[in-house]
Amino acid sequence: MIKNLILIIFFMNLGSVSNPSEEKIYFDIVRNNKVIGSLKATRTIKDSKIHYQSSTTIETKIIKDIRVNYKYDVTFEAELLEKSNVNITVNENPHAKTVTEWEDDSYQVVKNGKNENIINDSISYSTVQMYFKEPVNINTCYSEQNGSFNTIIAMGNHTYKKVNSKENENIYYYDMGILKKATIDGGLIKFEIVASNKQ
């Protein structure tokens, strides 16, 4: 009887270890005080793997109507980037695709089907993680979209500036470790992301 009970508890605990935990967060995309889109990000933890997904849709007018979709699919294992896949469409047409994947002893960066770069440094923090984790004592951030490293500058009061390779600056504002707002220079347009209470 006791042996059976121990076995049942063991298998129950085994099941709970492998069950993934999931966290979802939502942001409104705001430009000129008007909501022009939405961002949904998901973090799923299972064993030593953390899987991030984010989907952003922006609808606005720059000379003509434009609809941009950003989809991120990023996996970390043992706190290091394993693979990231970024797809961007404009008006439902493919615009850019960047894949970063660990192979043997380095990362291979492929942009739009062409080998772009090889990165020998380990990657432990990337852009998608900024939605979930305040970059305390972190000064570089890997851009899954551009396949390059960005600089993070702590500005005090839980505010951080992220500067990319084109010198575009994004400012991130945290409260109690949670991202509340960010101002984004997307090159083509500038906008804010603001935490939403959506579930």
Side-chain angles (χ1 to χ4, degrees):
M1 180 71 181
I2 292 174
K3 190 176 179 183
N4 288 343
L5 187 60
I6 290 169
L7 279 173
I8 289 166
I9 292 169
F10 172 76
F11 284 112
M12 282 175 64
N13 287 337
L14 194 66
S16 67
V17 167
S18 62
N19 284 344
S21 68
E22 186 177 84
E23 179 184 359
K24 293 180 183 177
I25 53 175
Y26 299 87
F27 296 89
D28 289 326
I29 310 292
V30 179
R31 183 172 181 244
N32 298 329
N33 298 316
K34 180 183 174 186
V35 175
I36 60 166
S38 61
L39 186 161
K40 174 187 172 185
T42 306
R43 177 173 62 181
T44 307
I45 302 171
K46 185 174 182 182
D47 301 327
S48 64
K49 287 199 177 191
I50 305 178
H51 187 205
Y52 297 90
Q53 286 183 305
S54 77
S55 178
T56 306
T57 301
I58 298 173
E59 294 185 59
T60 189
K61 189 166 188 170
I62 304 170
I63 303 173
K64 62 178 184 177
D65 289 337
I66 184 171
R67 178 182 169 91
V68 185
N69 287 90
Y70 298 83
K71 291 199 179 298
Y72 281 59
D73 199 338
V74 182
T75 303
F76 277 74
E77 182 167 18
E79 299 189 7
L80 292 176
L81 179 68
E82 183 182 79
K83 183 176 182 179
S84 71
N85 194 331
V86 178
N87 279 295
I88 302 170
T89 60
V90 177
N91 294 337
E92 317 310 327
N93 296 312
H95 177 71
K97 179 180 173 72
T98 305
V99 177
T100 305
E101 187 166 13
W102 178 259
E103 293 179 5
D104 298 326
D105 58 356
S106 62
Y107 291 100
Q108 182 69 55
V109 181
V110 178
K111 284 188 179 181
N112 301 318
K114 295 179 182 176
N115 290 342
E116 180 81 12
N117 194 11
I118 291 174
I119 297 172
N120 294 310
D121 297 328
S122 60
I123 298 172
S124 58
Y125 191 80
S126 72
T127 301
V128 76
Q129 290 176 297
M130 294 192 79
Y131 300 134
F132 295 93
K133 180 182 175 184
E134 181 177 349
V136 177
N137 298 322
I138 294 172
N139 52 28
T140 58
C141 168
Y142 181 69
S143 167
E144 303 94 334
Q145 180 179 332
N146 296 322
S148 59
F149 287 92
N150 297 340
T151 301
I152 296 179
I153 301 164
M155 300 174 70
N157 200 28
H158 304 283
T159 302
Y160 302 83
K161 180 192 292 183
K162 180 166 74 69
V163 185
N164 71 12
S165 56
K166 296 179 180 177
E167 299 299 317
N168 293 342
E169 298 180 354
N170 300 343
I171 311 291
Y172 293 78
Y173 303 87
Y174 294 82
D175 183 24
M176 305 286 286
I178 297 167
L179 181 63
K180 293 298 183 183
K181 184 177 82 167
T183 58
I184 308 295
D185 182 349
L188 195 59
I189 58 171
K190 295 182 179 180
F191 56 88
E192 289 186 339
I193 65 169
V194 180
S196 165
N197 292 324
K198 257 180 235 171
Q199 296 297 325

